[in-house]
């Protein structure tokens, strides 16, 4: 795995494109014949054979294979990838961040988010139910972008197949478990606050 | 009862079952080899190293629904796969696979001589080539019977490709026949019994290459797999086939690959004669395995040709070369 | 209309307006936008927000209280005005919590809108915040002062429209504004802030809860999320709700409402009504309309067995008994059943109303009464209400009564046996006459006497009225000033001069005093004549509203006759309030029979008792859709046929299915709409073409107006006053404020119970529970104090049909009874 990543990083840095020298198609019969002779008795065919044989050798005895043994191994997901949503908690209190404002529900272009809210005993708006219908979700990321509290974000779970349509779709399934709060990372993907957000804010005078 | 008949039947059964199994095993080997050449894994999950993948595929093929399209000619549609498998196996019957086995039966203490060839006929080479040529009916009929335009295209390609390359096969093998002076494959083998130096390939490299190329075409292998090339004609003659019938085409193809490998080994590469300390049967297996591997290797390495290039290659390049080769060989034989 | 129409221009657009109309109203009527937070179209200007500042003929005026003049040129904005407005919005945003995410008003919030409209993006002003706790004012009202911007719309509407005046501005206890701001800030913004910083809305009775009719109009007008119904708080965002325009099905006002629906929950995707809203600039709802919306009859599938039984029951029934809470279409279906199957149609309240109306028609020649309540609201300045407990019977007429006092500076007379302190609290020029039960004829005769053109009035009537006049001679002492001319001889000059001296002498004089014995019958106050004279000064537009007491009256025919005479010979325009939701429609459409409550007659009940019961309430033998589940039209007291729509799904059988099964149905229920008889004033129009809304100028664009059919009137002379004597404890059949029928009772936000409603004094006598006896049947009911009632009469509700209150009361709304503590 590490090897592959290193290689990927190496490739990522500099892209070395090579323009192919595409010769003209043979026009006369003789040209064609010459081309066949050249290709047959030139090394081209054997180069091909050599390359495949060499790769086979290196696969069996050398560098190994490219294949990622999914699902035993998984590739890391880029932060901007839009996978199954996560509902985050406040790091200080462990309360969930969602305030039930309904903006995600409104902005959702596939109309797959639904929530029930109520007035709770602490005189706060409480989200009593929250679901995303992943059969309809197109993972556009608008919900994460519109969320004023960074409560709903795209997590790393991209395996959407399940026996039940309802899987992952409830608030509790998406919510960061309270015992894993320490592992919660601030979202840096689609819709996160920009790194220079503080600079763009005009402060309110608080004279008193 | 005639011991010959019993022996023939027994041998037929043994060869049939082994070759069938090998055909299946061939698919496994093919997938593994291609995977390694492309730095992949190939089958890994079913059984150790994915070996039982063959069984899994078999079960799948056997249990799959057998669909006959409503507009198809049902009889021909059903029979075509059987032709594919049958001709392939019948062709093997005249190929001497190994030595003639000699052993003493312990109880009756009698020496039994078992020729490894099922039917030792003196025109073996003609029979084998003829039988393989007859195999052309399978994809031809299958493609025409299934009422599918891709099938029709597949079958027309079959007719063109197989008939054309039949010429090259026939002509290229003429030169070795002239050298050996026999059509019996056992005679071919015996003519090359004097070690590696006596292999016909050294005398007839051109014929060998031509036969090899034609062999690829005859067995519908890359770079000549035009009959059912997915990117062009969906699945060609096999478009409407599924399940066991489709599997029979597959078995036929792999059996043909094995037959061609044997033919190449026997006609050009010394057959089952011992090479120094290497026993003949082992040498034979190694040679066959090499040719089989070569087919897979080429599939991994080379792109396939266009139909027009295929015809051009056959009639304008290969056939003239084969004729010239015969003429030269003929002159050498007459003058020498 | 006597007002002169004038032409003025607003932002270069020529606008027609009535002289004296407020500029803001002219702009609104002509779809020109002038920002305004505190002003309500039909109410008096508050001048709290000062954001409607405009330039009229070069002067800066507030559009909400500046009157339009001919040729006036108004500019709605210029740079200075915009700065002034922006400063005001910046002030409004000071310390307003940034909790739009959870606020119920978010998305339809005027503070949000104007903040964006005036592009407020910085906050230059600052002041220490004051802690303000959210409170529940009543069983439905939830007030969060933290969100409140003290625009006083709630206060204004409660006073001007509703008449409760239950809320007012109170002290906030915030810190004083920094003196510096006075110089640095725009003037209007500073004075607005100065007021805002000092006030907050509180109940006007100095307690923590409002004493009001829980109509929730304050919730409707609140521009921010400060006032929300307790049930609605935080349940949904306004943008998720689908507005279904409909008609309120509870009383005969037939107000336009929007059912706002959304799926019930995540599991249950059936539409549910979350709240009811109204066009609050043009119409006010009552508590039943606003909160009594969840009376739907949830039926998941058709019950075929019950349907079969129902068909047989209808085929074999001799009569169908129903209530007036049905659509015109259903009424027409029932009438069709009568015509085809020969069943009788029983509907007590509609029958009583029909009797009254037919007698009225006979004597006046008009099918419909002439008065129009909407017009009265705008123009009338003197109102008399007879025979209706306004607070309970019809909130819209009560709003009318209040409106005339508050906005038209009018006067009012309220005739009713049961005293109501709310009515008298509506204005200074109101007299309440708690007359004896059954003396309504005397009132009407008195009106004829007082207001009729005596020369045109038939002489017999004149004579009869005059017979009540008691001319008595009375000696009064009068100061008479006489000029006495004296000849005085000047002592010095010797000239004699004539000088005139004024000499006051007391002269005893006998004058004729006309005392009207009719007023004695009515127990009018002693100085009533003088009061009335004061009331009538400068009054031009007279209204008379009549209520249910007159239809349930032994002299119903005579009363109707007198009403016809009043309409003919006095300047009064008369509005007759139908007793129930669609009583007018039923009375026009159905030939009703007298219900004798004979047990031998097999009846099918529709939402009421019967041998087989079709019910929209879910408790009958076959389910029917409730009013919020069906399309159809209602005929309201404004003489309009208005459409209503289905807001909630219904999957059972409808009346039209029964009609189809019997062979005289239509494809759809609304196909009956165009079949409503044109001979009875209806129009042959498709349901789908009926509008249901208001124009910018507040004109009602709903359904169509019933056409009045005139016939030749028969002139005859009304009979003389018959006074019936009711003795003992008196019961008055009257529902509590927000209850009209079993549907309101089913709604979960209507809490008024089925109990005896009595005045405070009476309650002390009766205790918590009382047993009363009517027609040998005993009822034990809780006793509830209605602190606005006075007198001994006990109100007994009729909204539960299982108690058969109508049957027990017979042809009167009053009933004598015996009552004891339970």
């Amino acid at each position: 795995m590490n090897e592959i990543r290193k290689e990927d990083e190496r490739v990522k840095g500099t892209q070395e494109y090579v323009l192919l020298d595409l010769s003209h198609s043979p026009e006369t019969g003789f040209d064609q014949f010459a081309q066949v002779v050249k290709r047959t008795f030139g090394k081209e065919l054997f180069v091909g054979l050599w390359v495949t044989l060499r790769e086979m050798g290196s696969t069996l005895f050398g560098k190994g294979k490219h294949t990622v043994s999914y699902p035993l191994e998984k590739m890391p997901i880029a932060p901007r990838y839009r996978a199954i949503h996560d509902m985050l908690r406040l790091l200080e209190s462990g309360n969930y961040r969602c305030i039930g404002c309904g903006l995600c529900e409104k902005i959702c272009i596939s109309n797959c988010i639904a929530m029930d809210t109520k007035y709770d005993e602490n005189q706060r708006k409480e989200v009593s139910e929250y679901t995303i219908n992943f059969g309809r979700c197109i993972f556009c990321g608008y919900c994460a972008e519109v969320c004023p509290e960074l409560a709903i974000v795209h997590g790393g779970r991209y395996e959407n197949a399940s026996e039940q349509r309802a899987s992952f779709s409830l608030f509790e399934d998406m919510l960061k478990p309270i015992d894993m709060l320490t592992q919660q990372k601030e979202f840096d993907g689609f819709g996160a606050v920009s790194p220079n957000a503080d600079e763009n804010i005009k402060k309110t005078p608080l004279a008193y | 009862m005639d011991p010959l008949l019993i022996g023939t039947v027994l041998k037929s059964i043994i060869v049939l079952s082994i070759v069938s199994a090998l055909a299946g095993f061939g698919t496994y080997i093919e997938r593994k080899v291609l995977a390694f050449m492309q730095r992949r894994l190939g089958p890994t999950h079913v059984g150790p190293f994915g070996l039982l993948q063959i069984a899994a595929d078999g079960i799948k093929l056997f249990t799959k629904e057998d669909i006959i399209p409503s507009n198809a000619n049902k009889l021909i549609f059903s029979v075509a796969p059987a032709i594919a498998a049958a001709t392939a196996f019948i062709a093997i019957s005249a190929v001497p696979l190994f030595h003639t086995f000699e052993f003493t039966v312990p109880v009756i203490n009698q020496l039994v001589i078992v020729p490894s060839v099922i039917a030792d006929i003196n025109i073996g080479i003609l029979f084998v080539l003829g039988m393989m040529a007859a195999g052309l009916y399978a994809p031809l009929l299958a493609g025409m019977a299934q009422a599918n335009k891709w099938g029709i295209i597949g079958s027309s390609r079959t007719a063109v490709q197989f008939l054309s390359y039949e010429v090259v096969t026939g002509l290229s093998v003429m030169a070795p026949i002239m050298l050996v002076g026999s059509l019996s494959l056992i005679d071919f083998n015996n003519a090359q019994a004097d070690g590696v130096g006596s292999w016909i390939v050294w005398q007839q490299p051109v014929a060998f290459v031509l036969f090899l190329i034609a062999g690829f075409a005859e067995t519908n292998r890359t770079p000549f797999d035009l009959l059912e090339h997915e990117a062009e004609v969906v699945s060609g003659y096999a478009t409407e086939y599924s399940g066991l019938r489709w599997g029979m085409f597959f078995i036929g193809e792999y059996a043909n690959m094995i037959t061609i490998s044997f033919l190449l080994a026997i006609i050009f590469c010394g057959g089952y004669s011992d090479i120094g300390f290497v026993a003949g049967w082992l040498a034979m297996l190694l040679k066959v395995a090499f040719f089989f591997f070569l087919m897979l290797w080429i599939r991994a390495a080379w792109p396939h040709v266009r139909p027009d290039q295929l015809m051009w290659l056959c009639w304008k390049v290969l056939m003239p070369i084969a004729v010239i080769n015969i003429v030269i060989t003929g002159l050498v034989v007459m003058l020498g | 209309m006597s007002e002169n129409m004038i032409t003025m221009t607003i932002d270069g657009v020529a606008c027609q307006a009535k002289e004296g109309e407020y500029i803001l109203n002219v702009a609104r009527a002509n779809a020109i936008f002038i920002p305004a937070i505190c002003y309500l179209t039909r109410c008096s200007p508050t001048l709290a927000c000062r954001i409607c500042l405009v330039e009229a003929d070069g002067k800066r005026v507030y559009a909400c209280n500046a009157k339009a003049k001919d040729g006036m040129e108004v500019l709605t904005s210029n740079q200075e005005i915009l700065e002034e407005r922006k400063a005001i919005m910046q002030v409004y945003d000071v310390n307003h919590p940034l909790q739009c995410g959870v606020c119920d008003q978010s998305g339809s919030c005027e503070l949000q809108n104007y903040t964006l409209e005036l592009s407020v993006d910085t906050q230059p002003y600052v002041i220490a915040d004051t802690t303000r706790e959210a409170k529940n004012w009543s069983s439905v009202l939830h007030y969060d002062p933290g969100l409140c911007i003290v625009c006083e719309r709630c206060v204004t509407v409660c006073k001007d429209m509703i008449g409760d005046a239950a809320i007012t501005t109170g002290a906030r206890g915030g810190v004083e504004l920094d003196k510096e701001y006075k110089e640095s800030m725009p003037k209007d913004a500073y004075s607005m802030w100065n007021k805002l910083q000092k006030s907050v809305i509180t109940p006007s009775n100095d307690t923590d809860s409002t004493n009001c009719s829980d109509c929730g109009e304050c919730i409707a007008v609140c521009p921010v999320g400060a006032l929300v119904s307790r049930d609605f708080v935080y349940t949904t965002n306004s943008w998720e709700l689908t507005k279904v325009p409909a008609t309120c099905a509870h009383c005969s006002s037939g107000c336009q409402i929007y059912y706002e629906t959304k799926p019930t929950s995540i599991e249950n995707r059936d539409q549910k009504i979350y709240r009811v809203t109204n066009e609050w600039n043009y119409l006010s709802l009552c508590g039943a309309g606003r909160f009594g919306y969840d009376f739907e009859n949830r039926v998941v599938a058709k019950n075929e067995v019950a349907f079969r039984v129902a068909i047989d029951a209808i085929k074999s029934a001799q009569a169908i008994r129903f209530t007036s809470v049905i659509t015109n279409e259903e009424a027409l279906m029932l009438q069709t059943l009568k015509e085809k199957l020969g069943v009788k149609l029983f509907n007590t309240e509609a029958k009583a109303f029909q009797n009254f109306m037919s007698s009225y028609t006979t004597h006046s020649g008009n099918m419909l009464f002439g008065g129009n309540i909407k017009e009265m609201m705008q123009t009338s300045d003197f109102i008399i209400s007879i025979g209706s407990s306004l607070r309970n019977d019809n909130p819209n007429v009560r709003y009318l009564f209040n409106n005339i006092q508050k906005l038209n500076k009018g006067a009012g007379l309220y005739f009713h046996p049961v005293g109501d302190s709310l009515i008298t609290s509506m204005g200074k020029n109101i007299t309440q006459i708690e007359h004896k039960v059954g003396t309504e004829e005397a009132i009407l005769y008195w009106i004829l006497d007082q207001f009729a053109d005596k020369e045109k009035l038939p002489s017999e009537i004149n004579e009869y009225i005059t017979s009540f006049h008691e001319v008595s001679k009375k000696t009064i002492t009068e100061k008479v000033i006489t000029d006495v001319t004296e000849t005085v001889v000047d002592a010095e000059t010797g000239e004699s001069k004539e000088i005139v001296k004024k000499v006051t002498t007391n002269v005893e004089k006998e004058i004729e005093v006309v005392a009207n014995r009719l007023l004695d019958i009515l127990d009018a106050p002693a100085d009533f004549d003088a009061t009335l004279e004061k009331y009538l000064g400068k009054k031009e537009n007279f209204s008379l509203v009549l209520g249910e007491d007159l239809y349930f009256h032994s002299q119903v025919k005579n009363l109707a006759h007198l009403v016809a005479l009043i309409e003919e010979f006095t300047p009064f325009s008369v509005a007759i309030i139908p007793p129930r939701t669609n009583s007018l429609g039923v009375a026009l459409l159905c030939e009703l029979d007298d219900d004798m409550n004979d047990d031998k007659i097999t009846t099918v009940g529709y939402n009421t008792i019967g041998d087989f019961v079709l019910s929209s309430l879910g408790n009958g033998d076959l389910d029917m859709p409730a009013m919020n589940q069906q399309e159809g039209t209602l005929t309201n007291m404004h003489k309009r046929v208005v459409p209503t729509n289905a807001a909630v799904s219904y999957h059972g059988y409808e009346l039209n299915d029964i009609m189809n099964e019997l062979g005289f149905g239509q494809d759809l229920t609304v196909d009956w709409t165009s079949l409503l008889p044109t001979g009875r004033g209806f129009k042959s129009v498709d349901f789908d073409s009926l509008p249901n809304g208001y124009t910018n100028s507040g004109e009602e664009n709903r359904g169509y107006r019933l056409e009045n059919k005139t016939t030749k009137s028969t002139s005859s002379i009304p009979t003389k006053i018959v006074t019936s004597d009711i003795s003992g404890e008196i019961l008055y059949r009257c529902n509590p404020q927000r209850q009209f029928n079993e549907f309101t009772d089913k709604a979960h936000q209507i809490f008024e119970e089925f109990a005896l409603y009595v005045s405070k004094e009476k309650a002390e006598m009766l205790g918590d529970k009382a047993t009363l006896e009517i027609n040998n049947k005993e009822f034990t009911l809780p006793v509830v104090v209605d602190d606005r009632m006075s007198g001994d009469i006990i109100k007994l509700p009729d909204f539960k049909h299982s108690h058969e209150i109508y049957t027990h009361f017979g042809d009167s709304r009053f009933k004598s009874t015996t009552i004891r503590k339970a």
Side-chain angles (χ1 to χ4, degrees), chain B residues 203-251:
Chain B
Q203 297 170 41
Q204 287 291 343
V206 177
F208 172 72
V209 172
L210 292 178
F211 190 81
L212 188 65
I213 294 172
F216 273 72
E218 293 281 299
T219 50
N220 185 24
R221 294 291 304 178
T222 316
F224 306 126
D225 58 340
L226 299 177
L227 278 62
E228 48 173 339
H229 191 69
E230 296 91 348
E232 293 171 1
V233 288
V234 184
S235 198
Y237 66 87
T239 304
E240 297 286 4
Y241 281 91
S242 64
L244 196 51
R245 291 186 207 281
W246 181 82
M248 282 164 83
F249 279 118
F250 220 73
I251 288 169

Side-chain angles (χ1 to χ4, degrees), chain B residues 4 27 38 61 79 90 98 118 126 134 155 177 197 255 271 302 331:
Chain B
L4 187 63
T27 63
Q38 293 159 355
L61 285 178
V79 166
I90 292 169
F98 298 108
I118 296 169
L126 276 187
S155 61
I177 290 169
W302 294 354
L331 286 174

Side-chain angles (χ1 to χ4, degrees), chain A residues 164-207:
Chain A
Q164 296 280 322
R165 276 177 178 224
S167 295
F168 317 123
S169 66
L170 296 177
F171 194 68
E172 294 75 36
D173 302 325
M174 290 181 280
L175 191 63
K176 198 84 186 171
I178 188 80
D179 50 332
M180 287 166 71
L181 187 61
T182 49
Q183 293 167 34
Q184 177 174 300
K185 289 203 183 77
E186 274 319 296
F187 183 60
D188 53 354
F190 199 68
V193 284
S194 58
N196 64 341
D198 282 348
E199 296 160 27
N200 296 334
I201 289 176
K202 206 172 203 175
K203 292 195 174 68
T204 302
L206 287 169

Side-chain angles (χ1 to χ4, degrees), chain C residues 245-248 259 327 627 630-634 642-646 687 692:
Chain C
T247 297
C248 175
Y259 290 120
T327 60
M627 277 296 194
Q630 56 175 324
E631 294 184 322
T633 58
L634 295 168
V642 290
T644 188
N645 277 309
F687 176 79
N692 194 6

Side-chain angles (χ1 to χ4, degrees), chain A residues 99-103 105-106 114-120 123-126 129-131 202 204-208, chain C residues 95 101-102 122-129 134 142 233-237 239-240 262 264-267 269:
Chain A
I99 55 168
C101 70
L103 289 182
E105 191 177 5
K106 175 68 181 166
M115 62 170 78
D116 289 348
T117 55
K118 66 173 193 210
Y119 186 67
D120 76 358
Q123 304 195 343
R124 293 175 68 90
K125 191 172 190 173
E126 187 192 317
E129 287 282 352
Y130 187 102
T131 93
K202 206 172 203 175
T204 302
L206 287 169
Y208 57 90
Chain C
N95 292 340
V102 297
T122 53
Q123 215 178 67
Y125 313 119
V126 64
I127 195 164
D129 204 354
H142 174 87
V233 183
Y234 294 164
T235 50
T236 182
N237 289 309
W239 60 76
E240 289 163 52
K262 195 186 105 160
T264 314
S265 68
I266 283 171
E267 288 82 26
R269 302 311 281 173

